[in-house]
Amino acid sequence: MVSRIEFSVNGRKTVFSGNPLTRLIDVLREDLSLTGVKEGCGEGECGACSVIKDGRLVTSCIIPVGAVNGSEILTIEGIRDTDKGRCLVDAFAEGGAVQCGFCIPGMVMAAYALLSSNPNPSEEDIRRGISGNICRCTGYDLIVESIKLAVRKGGDLWA
Amino acid sequence: MPLTGIDDRVVRVDAAAKARGEARYVCDYTFPDMLYAYMVRSSIPRGTIDSISIPKLPDGYYFISAADIPPEGKNELWMIQKDWRCFAEGDVRYVGETIGLLVGPDRNILKYLLDHVDIKYTEGIPAVSIDDGIACKGGAIVGEDNVLCQLYVEKGKPMSEVFAEADSIYEETLETGFQEHVHLETNAAIVTEEDGKYAIYASAQCPFYIRKSVAGLLGIPQEDIIIRQTTTGGAFGGKEHFPDVLCGPLLVAEHRIHKPIKLVFDREEDMLYSVKRHPSKVTYRTALDKDGNILGIEGLVYYNCGAYLSASYVVLQRGVFHANGVYDFPNTYVKGIGIATNTFPSDAFRGFGAPQTLFAIETHLDHIARKFGFDPAEYKARYFIKQGGETITNGHIVERVMLPEMMKQVVDASGYEEKIRKYPIGSGRGIGISFYNHGGAFTGNGEQAIIKAHARLVKTGGRVRIEVGSTEMGQGFQTALRKIAAVVLGIPIEDVDYDNPDTSLVCDSGPTAASRSTMIVGKIVERCAAEMKERWAEGDFSVEKEYEHPEGHPWDQSTFRGDAYLGYGWGCAAVEVEADKLTNEIHVTGIWSSHDIGHAIDELIVHGQVNGGIAQSIGYASMEKMENRNGYFRQSSMSDYVVPTSMEFPKQEWFLVENPYEWGPFGAKGMGELVFNGADAAYIDAVERALGITVHRIPMPPEDIEEALGNGQ
Ligand code: FES
Ligand code: FES
């Protein structure tokens, strides 16, 4: 079965023709070379493949490309050079959030989604906001602190 | 740019590229005409292979097996020994043993082919547990008794005399389970050919190990294979020897196919078919006088090694050498035995054999203390080993031991004294405490006799490049090493380069393991940098140096007597819990720790290591349950085998004590493993106190706690 699916990725119109059951992560990583989207588990459990679909954080490994027809998808590549993206990347680097890094692009996406809807989160809000993203290296404390740092440094950016 | 000072806070050199999604892991590499590989694996734990039937392969598809190893090569991977076969031939010894590779351009077709491979076996009876292995269930797998490796150490009087003098003997057995690494990046490698040589891109800790391990498959010199480490998404020991198991078959495939070939495990494969932490069974018999004083301890330590030796003998040695914990008991005898079973071979995992015995001794002492009505912390503190004290291997502790200071920090910060009064045993709340250490670098004289690490600095204009085989796997080594070089040279850290190693370009500085990189390789780099600074005006040149063994650490590897380690890292952790009486869920409400790592090269990196190590350790004691039934692992995904999320544990409070280490760069010792070694026991201590139960094994997920409560244990 071949379908034609139109959606936008990082602001660019994209047309996919092929099996609509193809996983979104494969289209992003392989067809569009957006390799900042990582596969940690392939079953929606780890969050490494997190992207933002129409403003909501989703795991691209369990979404068939057929389900994003007409959607707007944002990946790490689409935010890293925006003010908000830079603020987060800088805060993660400065705050010591990054170890092996495999979970980190997904964490940045989760933080972006969180701060975009809640510019002044509590520690509890932050922990909940990244609870779908597994990190095996950091024990999370410095990721949480780095997100707080992004809030402080970003100021109005998140309002 | 400002000069870098050793205590300056620097931004990790790899952080931005990783956070921006620009760092390239193996899975992100592609090559023109690249093919993909899938492993054909044993589906039974033990038996003989009667036939292998491969579906008809379309053009451009290949099945690679032992038959493809050329006559000049041998079907063996060279780890410590050469017992682990690259491809199973004739028989299989565990579920998931590599039988072959299917290689071709289209992954969907490969998966279809994989589903239609038909292997007929005559099944044997598998030995799965340590007890099965000891009993030689199904017949011995190795030798006549399944003993893969063994050793013993003794100190003081013969234990028969000690037991004869004792008023009582406290005997108990403590067990630990499998633990899966769950590095977020699964195992992966790509093989290709470049300029007449084989080139392997691998997610790996030890590029030079891979080269050594696989060259014999084709009977070629190691130099004919180039290993390029790619950005590695976590390892924790799981990528120390195990990459050999991917790279070996890939090399044989390349020898036949001559195209780039990529092998990436999916999560299920990585869970089911990769090495794990050794399960253990430790029995202590402790001789006590009438007041509860310890006269001596006898220990019998079994590790479940799986079907091949891999690194098990060294893991077992470390387990035995840590079996007395941080204590100086007058008399001890500890024997360690590595048992072969039909499970996936066990291998390196952060702590490398020490966590199992440290958990056992800590918990054992808690039980004795409680029996005699002592507070465990106060009881244990009586036996803290001191500078000059005799170790379990008849060596001596060379450095100052700051356990009393560390205990005070943790006790004060956690409110331990008040909480032990406030939370009676069985009240649903509890606080536990533990003490631990980790011997730095290779055992005994291994650094001098076996590893002989080298490091090189190359100066080009004002820039300096570090050329070592040590790897960054998330622990922060690229930053730490550049910082050491920059500070000694008196230049900004931005002027120092250190890329992921390529074995054709850098010197062999030994494996990135055993918490040795900062302490050993960092020291060589410091020495290189000192010379380079003196000769700075000479223009462009390089300085290479070999490891120098510090004087005064006698060691006899044949009898295991002497200074087993060059120095130790030390730790103390407290964990506070609250039990949900309805669900038996345990909520961790506080975590405190103090560590002695000499001097921190970078406090922020250490902070991250402490947090991550402790979270992994409490996970090990609580939720991380990997079961093996009849030779099959039961947890195959991240939803079955659950690791801690951001909601599990509260923010940690942590401390370091300053205790500069004479032979480390800027006084630094190893720390990556130390921070894993003790929070598990503190957690179990807290759970025991909160629920009034006695625990003899980890992990203890809620269902096991329920069982313990039901048993009235
Ligand atoms: S890879 Fe998608 S959630 Fe893990
Ligand atoms: S930094 Fe390694 S998994 Fe998060």
Side-chain angles (χ1 to χ4, degrees):
Chain A
M1 182 173 55
V2 172
S3 308
R4 185 184 156 83
I5 292 140
E6 292 188 28
F7 57 114
S8 95
V9 177
N10 299 332
R12 269 218 205 123
K13 220 183 117 193
T14 304
V15 180
F16 171 86
S17 316
N19 185 343
L21 294 177
T22 306
R23 305 183 310 165
L24 177 60
I25 188 175
D26 295 333
V27 176
L28 295 173
R29 283 181 53 85
E30 300 195 2
D31 299 355
L32 304 175
S33 299
L34 298 170
T35 52
V37 183
K38 298 295 181 212
E39 177 162 351
C41 70
E43 50 154 10
E45 284 291 329
C46 78
C49 65
S50 296
V51 300
I52 292 173
K53 172 179 179 270
D54 302 323
R56 287 193 43 225
L57 190 70
V58 296
T59 46
S60 62
C61 69
I62 51 167
I63 295 189
V65 67
V68 302
N69 199 16
S71 288
E72 285 180 18
I73 304 293
L74 208 47
T75 72
I76 184 73
E77 289 85 354
I79 69 158
R80 66 190 178 198
D81 290 315
T82 65
D83 288 346
K84 288 181 176 181
R86 263 196 297 269
C87 171
L88 281 168
V89 167
D90 288 351
F92 270 55
E94 200 182 317
V98 182
Q99 292 192 24
C100 85
F102 206 78
C103 71
I104 296 295
M107 283 287 181
V108 171
M109 296 311 288
Y112 184 95
L114 171 71
L115 298 189
S116 298
S117 65
N118 178 359
N120 229 324
S122 64
E123 161 122 11
E124 174 79 13
D125 294 337
I126 296 174
R127 287 193 178 265
R128 185 159 301 121
I130 59 167
S131 62
N133 293 66
I134 298 293
C135 175
R136 187 57 156 165
C137 298
T138 64
Y140 306 100
D141 284 7
L142 289 177
I143 295 178
V144 173
E145 292 306 313
S146 296
I147 295 173
K148 289 186 196 161
L149 185 63
V151 171
R152 282 203 304 279
K153 290 179 54 156
D156 290 348
L157 211 52
W158 303 110
Chain B
M1 256 174 289
L3 303 185
T4 305
I6 200 68
D7 294 323
D8 290 356
R9 188 174 164 127
V10 300
V11 171
R12 270 181 74 127
V13 297
D14 51 346
K18 285 172 171 175
R20 288 173 55 83
E22 287 167 341
R24 290 171 79 212
Y25 300 80
V26 186
C27 56
D28 302 327
Y29 283 74
T30 51
F31 291 86
D33 286 329
M34 190 171 78
L35 305 179
Y36 295 88
Y38 283 88
M39 271 189 176
V40 176
R41 301 182 170 96
S42 164
S43 61
I44 64 162
R46 187 176 197 176
T48 50
I49 301 174
D50 297 330
S51 64
I52 301 175
S53 128
I54 303 296
K56 187 171 159 23
L57 297 175
D59 263 1
Y61 288 79
Y62 305 84
F63 176 67
I64 306 293
S65 68
D68 294 289
I69 294 174
E72 58 277 19
K74 282 206 176 111
N75 182 17
E76 56 196 22
L77 298 168
W78 184 6
M79 297 178 186
I80 292 180
Q81 289 178 8
K82 298 180 178 174
D83 63 329
W84 194 331
R85 297 173 296 182
C86 179
F87 298 106
E89 237 183 326
D91 68 330
V92 292
R93 300 178 197 176
Y94 59 92
V95 172
E97 184 161 12
T98 318
I99 291 176
L101 282 187
L102 279 167
V103 181
D106 186 310
R107 282 165 286 175
N108 287 323
I109 294 177
L110 285 168
K111 278 187 203 156
Y112 173 88
L113 294 170
L114 190 61
D115 285 344
H116 290 81
V117 171
D118 185 19
I119 303 178
K120 298 254 188 296
Y121 304 93
T122 302
E123 290 195 41
I125 298 166
V128 175
S129 64
I130 289 172
D131 290 341
D132 289 352
I134 294 171
C136 288
K137 187 175 169 191
I141 305 158
V142 170
E144 284 170 1
D145 52 7
N146 278 340
V147 173
L148 264 172
C149 47
Q150 59 179 326
L151 73 154
Y152 72 90
V153 292
E154 63 190 324
K155 165 182 168 185
K157 293 192 288 197
M159 283 306 294
S160 53
E161 282 178 35
V162 179
F163 286 127
E165 292 164 12
D167 290 289
S168 69
I169 295 172
Y170 195 109
E171 174 172 345
E172 67 181 335
T173 297
L174 297 130
E175 295 178 78
T176 64
F178 287 105
Q179 188 181 23
E180 160 57 31
H181 303 80
V182 203
H183 27 66
L184 209 59
E185 180 208 21
T186 56
N187 281 283
I190 298 172
V191 65
T192 182
E193 282 171 2
E194 291 174 15
D195 304 327
K197 291 191 176 183
Y198 295 102
I200 294 176
Y201 295 76
S203 176
Q205 294 174 231
C206 312
F208 284 91
Y209 269 8
I210 301 178
R211 211 177 69 154
K212 168 184 149 192
S213 183
V214 303
L217 291 163
L218 302 183
I220 58 175
Q222 293 182 28
E223 293 69 30
D224 287 358
I225 305 168
I226 300 167
I227 311 293
R228 299 213 169 94
Q229 186 227 2
T230 48
T231 304
T232 295
F236 313 115
K239 296 173 183 170
E240 184 170 335
H241 287 288
F242 190 60
D244 306 359
V245 175
L246 285 78
C247 296
L250 280 174
L251 183 69
V252 175
E254 186 63 21
H255 174 71
R256 175 157 157 210
I257 303 169
H258 306 291
K259 281 189 181 172
I261 306 169
K262 184 176 193 174
L263 171 61
V264 180
F265 281 14
D266 66 22
R267 179 56 62 186
E268 184 181 67
E269 292 178 286
D270 216 72
M271 284 264 174
L272 294 176
Y273 312 126
S274 74
V275 294
K276 307 274 176 281
R277 188 186 297 284
H278 293 71
S280 73
K281 182 170 177 177
V282 180
T283 302
Y284 286 115
R285 290 182 74 216
T286 297
L288 299 153
D289 72 10
K290 61 179 187 338
D291 301 318
N293 295 306
I294 294 173
L295 306 175
I297 295 194
E298 185 179 87
L300 179 58
V301 175
Y302 283 106
Y303 281 4
N304 184 342
C305 301
Y308 293 114
L309 183 68
S310 56
S312 288
Y313 191 27
V314 195
V315 170
L316 180 70
Q317 288 171 26
R318 195 173 271 275
V320 166
F321 300 159
H322 285 76
N324 274 2
V326 298
Y327 310 106
D328 190 353
F329 302 125
N331 307 291
T332 55
Y333 174 94
V334 178
K335 180 166 183 145
I337 301 176
I339 290 289
T341 62
N342 296 106
T343 59
F344 211 99
S346 305
D347 204 49
F349 195 146
R350 197 178 203 170
F352 206 77
Q356 292 93 325
T357 48
L358 285 170
F359 164 75
I361 191 72
E362 282 300 296
T363 305
H364 180 57
L365 294 184
D366 289 341
H367 295 168
I368 297 174
R370 249 174 260 139
K371 179 178 169 187
F372 285 89
F374 301 121
D375 169 61
E378 178 269 316
Y379 183 70
K380 289 174 183 177
R382 295 182 204 170
Y383 296 97
F384 283 162
I385 200 161
K386 297 184 186 69
Q387 187 168 30
E390 185 185 348
T391 65
I392 190 170
T393 55
N394 319 112
H396 293 87
I397 298 288
V398 179
E399 72 233 57
R400 174 172 169 218
V401 179
M402 297 184 69
L403 285 169
E405 290 86 346
M406 295 160 66
M407 172 168 156
K408 182 165 182 338
Q409 274 177 334
V410 169
V411 163
D412 289 351
S414 65
Y416 178 84
E417 301 284 356
E418 189 197 335
K419 284 173 183 164
I420 56 175
R421 282 192 300 274
K422 232 170 61 187
Y423 311 151
I425 299 284
S427 66
R429 299 186 77 175
I431 186 166
I433 194 164
S434 67
F435 307 94
Y436 45 98
N437 62 359
H438 193 85
F442 266 60
T443 312
N445 59 353
E447 293 290 344
Q448 182 187 25
I450 306 167
I451 307 289
K452 301 186 181 78
H454 281 240
R456 184 163 58 225
L457 293 186
V458 182
K459 177 172 177 287
T460 314
R463 295 195 77 77
V464 173
R465 191 169 66 246
I466 301 173
E467 295 188 344
V468 296
S470 309
T471 52
E472 171 69 58
M473 47 182 152
Q475 85 283 37
F477 194 57
Q478 282 196 343
T479 305
L481 201 56
R482 286 191 218 198
K483 198 173 179 188
I484 291 168
V487 175
V488 177
L489 288 163
I491 61 176
I493 191 170
E494 291 80 5
D495 290 351
V496 181
D497 300 309
Y498 165 22
D499 293 333
N500 291 334
D502 168 322
T503 56
S504 67
L505 301 177
V506 303
C507 43
D508 186 354
S509 39
T512 307
S515 301
R516 62 182 288 281
S517 297
T518 297
M519 184 169 146
I520 303 291
V521 184
K523 186 71 194 177
I524 311 175
V525 165
E526 187 189 44
R527 286 168 44 222
C528 291
E531 183 182 321
M532 181 166 276
K533 185 177 165 67
E534 287 210 343
R535 297 170 45 197
W536 189 256
E538 283 177 27
D540 294 351
F541 64 100
S542 67
V543 178
E544 179 169 337
K545 289 195 183 293
E546 188 176 308
Y547 171 71
E548 271 175 13
H549 203 64
E551 294 293 313
H553 288 278
W555 177 252
D556 182 341
Q557 180 68 19
S558 58
T559 58
F560 302 110
R561 290 172 78 99
D563 291 345
Y565 303 103
L566 297 171
Y568 294 81
W570 305 86
C572 171
V575 175
E576 184 181 344
V577 303
E578 193 173 337
D580 182 322
K581 292 247 172 178
L582 277 179
T583 60
N584 296 315
E585 301 237 9
I586 305 289
H587 301 290
V588 175
T589 52
I591 301 172
W592 300 265
S593 70
S594 175
H595 293 99
D596 168 6
I597 59 163
H599 180 78
I601 295 291
D602 191 89
E603 274 210 18
L604 190 60
I605 289 177
V606 174
H607 186 172
Q609 287 288 301
V610 168
N611 290 158
I614 286 180
Q616 239 173 30
S617 180
I618 303 179
Y620 178 46
S622 59
M623 60 208 289
E624 294 186 27
K625 187 165 188 171
M626 175 63 74
E627 297 161 285
N628 191 303
R629 296 257 170 90
N630 306 320
Y632 299 83
F633 286 123
R634 307 215 332 146
Q635 285 72 22
S636 62
S637 70
M638 289 176 74
S639 44
D640 307 330
Y641 184 86
V642 187
V643 301
T645 70
S646 56
M647 304 294 282
E648 238 73 51
F649 307 134
K651 186 170 160 182
Q652 300 180 22
E653 244 190 275
W654 68 291
F655 305 94
L656 295 177
V657 291
E658 185 65 24
N659 190 16
Y661 171 66
E662 195 181 336
W663 297 286
F666 296 96
K669 295 187 274 198
M671 60 104 184
E673 294 175 282
L674 170 70
V675 295
F676 179 87
N677 281 3
D680 50 355
Y683 171 84
I684 290 298
D685 182 20
V687 169
E688 289 188 328
R689 298 195 209 199
L691 296 174
I693 57 174
T694 304
V695 171
H696 286 108
R697 65 160 196 268
I698 51 172
M700 286 296 284
E703 62 270 22
D704 293 53
I705 286 185
E706 192 169 309
E707 195 189 314
L709 283 166
N711 291 343
Q713 266 190 17

